[in-house]
Amino acid sequence: MPRLLFFCGHAGTGKTTLAHRLIGPLMQVTGEPFCLLDKDTLYGGYSAAAMGALTGDPNDRDSPTYLKYLRNAEYDGLLDTARENLALGISVIVVGPLSREVRDHLLHDPKWLRVPAGTIVRTLWVHLPEDEAHARIVKRANPNDAYKLAHWDDYRTRRFMPEPAQYPELAYFDNTAPDDAALNALLATLAA
């Protein structure tokens, strides 16, 4: 049965870098084909065009306008693409914040997910202390983060750290400075 692996967490936590690092080892360990679906890669150009037309700022990914008109549509398309691959027997890594969906326990709700029966679903919450995430966002200098940085006090109200007791469906990974042992343990968890 194919796997659906979510790499979730807030901006700047290294979700995409971690997914890139683990996809090859996951294919080796499981013997399964995987595809990587990163929200920013799939929808970056589309969102830039849409937000440029709506607000005049093609790099806006956090304003109320973006959240109202594009956020859910991006995630719907991301999950539809994942479902299509899963139906073909291809395992999928989905990379995106998905914080609302995590908060509402949707990523393990079969009715909401609508994935093929027997699909193995794992959700990884990649996290860092807020100050470290902020420093990484500043360092990467991605124009899509400009709104977030300019409105950090508002953005940080959307940041949350799911408590393990309330979110037992999550695997947690502190991406501050992972060593080989931590990465190998994570690989074993995702491949189980």
Side-chain angles (χ1 to χ4, degrees):
M1 298 270 67
R3 299 168 194 270
L4 174 56
L5 306 179
F6 290 104
F7 281 50
C8 305
H10 299 297
T13 57
K15 301 177 297 293
T16 300
T17 301
L18 188 61
H20 286 190
R21 191 168 183 181
L22 292 178
I23 192 168
L26 274 166
M27 287 190 283
Q28 261 189 324
V29 169
T30 64
E32 301 166 11
F34 273 83
C35 74
L36 177 69
L37 302 177
D38 185 306
K39 184 182 83 67
D40 292 337
T41 303
L42 286 171
Y43 292 101
Y46 168 81
S47 294
M51 291 310 293
L54 288 171
T55 68
D57 181 0
N59 299 313
D60 175 357
R61 296 299 183 283
D62 289 287
S63 71
T65 300
Y66 170 83
L67 296 174
K68 180 177 180 180
Y69 293 108
L70 291 185
R71 183 214 183 266
N72 291 343
E74 287 182 358
Y75 282 127
D76 289 345
L78 183 66
L79 291 172
D80 285 344
T81 306
R83 290 180 192 108
E84 188 171 23
N85 279 277
L86 293 165
L88 295 170
I90 300 168
S91 292
V92 179
I93 295 174
V94 170
V95 180
L98 290 152
S99 54
R100 286 185 201 168
E101 293 74 11
V102 167
R103 183 179 282 126
D104 293 339
H105 301 274
L106 294 176
L107 300 183
H108 289 266
D109 177 347
K111 287 182 182 178
W112 187 85
L113 276 179
R114 300 186 331 270
V115 296
T119 299
I120 299 165
V121 179
R122 303 256 188 280
T123 304
L124 176 65
W125 184 261
V126 183
H127 61 94
L128 291 172
E130 181 183 334
D131 60 338
E132 177 67 21
H134 184 272
R136 289 186 185 188
I137 292 169
V138 169
K139 184 177 179 181
R140 72 184 180 188
N142 184 327
N144 293 341
D145 293 324
Y147 186 95
K148 185 182 293 104
L149 291 170
H151 301 87
W152 188 259
D153 286 339
D154 290 333
Y155 168 72
R156 67 191 305 263
T157 64
R158 297 198 320 261
R159 286 180 53 93
F160 80 110
M161 180 61 187
E163 294 295 327
Q166 295 176 344
Y167 295 89
E169 69 271 22
L170 301 180
Y172 295 83
F173 190 74
D174 182 342
N175 204 18
T176 305
D179 58 15
D180 288 342
L183 289 166
N184 289 335
L186 176 58
L187 179 61
T189 296
L190 296 174

